[in-house]
Amino acid sequence: GRRKNGREFPTEVNLVPVQTNDGPRVVLISRDLSDTGFLSRALGYSEHKYRDLFDSLPVGIYRITPDGQILDFNPAFQRLLRYSDRESLLRVNASALWADPADRDQMLATLQTQDTIEYSEIQLRWQDGTPCWFSDSLRTVRDVDGSVSYYEGVISDISERRQAEEARQESEQRYQFLFENMLNGLSAGVWLNE
């Protein structure tokens, strides 16, 4: 809005259609938002709403700088990596979370040519050092100069699925070995009988 003295102020404008004896009309309702109490309450509500979403999602959400400084994460990220407290995880350089540092280097190289990795399977380490598998999707956030500020991402634990896949592959290999050796034994038996 604009005051009589020419100064602008924040407003909320709503247009409401109404039916009158003279036909349809539109009522304009304008509210002065320069009341800082209202604005701060609205901002607080908005921040609370998005913080609640961030904190309650069952997937790990993180924000990490290119040099590995962990800037922020949600409780699920901490739980997935099995860290006992937030402060311990904030003190860790993200490069130490990777089971194989070369995999992290490869991911960073990929992010030099594309700003988003929609899905990758990565192996990280829990706080106790045990390796575990995660799906990871992330994006690059750049500053106004185009330099990388940080990466934002989402991880999910896929360790059980990976273990099931490995068990299935081992079972298939055993079956194939038995089948091939059984055929070799039958061939040898046929040859011996001739």
Side-chain angles (χ1 to χ4, degrees):
R2 189 177 303 274
R3 299 193 191 286
K4 288 181 183 179
N5 64 8
R7 294 189 66 184
E8 292 184 359
F9 63 95
T11 59
E12 174 183 70
V13 177
N14 291 306
L15 299 174
V16 181
V18 293
Q19 187 66 35
T20 67
N21 291 337
D22 296 328
R25 299 285 187 248
V26 176
V27 175
L28 180 131
I29 302 170
S30 177
R31 183 167 64 170
D32 182 351
L33 296 179
S34 58
D35 173 17
T36 57
F38 172 79
L39 289 176
S40 68
R41 284 190 306 276
L43 180 60
Y45 173 74
S46 178
E47 287 175 355
H48 170 73
K49 185 172 73 171
Y50 287 101
R51 183 47 129 181
D52 185 50
L53 176 67
F54 181 78
D55 287 345
S56 64
L57 282 171
V59 294
I61 303 172
Y62 63 87
R63 184 175 284 165
I64 297 173
T65 64
D67 65 355
Q69 180 187 0
I70 300 173
L71 299 174
D72 198 10
F73 54 87
N74 69 344
F77 185 80
Q78 177 184 329
R79 234 181 358 266
L80 288 168
L81 292 173
R82 299 187 180 180
Y83 271 75
S84 55
D85 61 279
R86 182 175 179 80
E87 291 72 31
S88 296
L89 187 50
L90 283 170
R91 284 192 299 269
V92 172
N93 188 288
S95 60
L97 296 174
W98 288 76
D100 183 353
D103 291 341
R104 181 175 186 271
D105 294 341
Q106 182 180 0
M107 181 199 70
L108 291 174
T110 300
L111 289 168
Q112 293 297 318
T113 60
Q114 62 189 52
D115 281 346
T116 302
I117 298 176
E118 290 191 20
Y119 179 87
S120 65
E121 292 187 2
I122 61 172
Q123 193 172 33
L124 301 178
R125 292 190 183 281
W126 290 329
Q127 185 175 17
D128 68 3
T130 304
C132 51
W133 286 97
F134 294 93
S135 68
D136 186 25
S137 296
L138 67 151
R139 74 181 189 107
T140 303
V141 177
R142 297 182 181 277
D143 62 20
V144 293
D145 298 329
S147 300
V148 176
S149 293
Y150 51 85
Y151 304 110
E152 291 179 326
V154 178
I155 63 169
S156 297
D157 188 341
I158 59 169
S159 296
E160 288 181 15
R161 181 180 63 81
R162 289 289 298 234
Q163 289 168 352
E165 284 177 11
E166 289 171 7
R168 181 188 54 78
Q169 288 174 351
E170 287 175 16
S171 176
E172 286 177 358
Q173 288 171 350
R174 282 193 306 271
Y175 174 76
Q176 183 177 358
F177 175 79
L178 290 172
F179 183 75
E180 288 172 356
N181 286 321
M182 180 182 75
L183 288 178
N184 288 339
L186 287 176
S187 298
V190 169
W191 181 72
L192 290 173
N193 288 334
E194 291 180 354

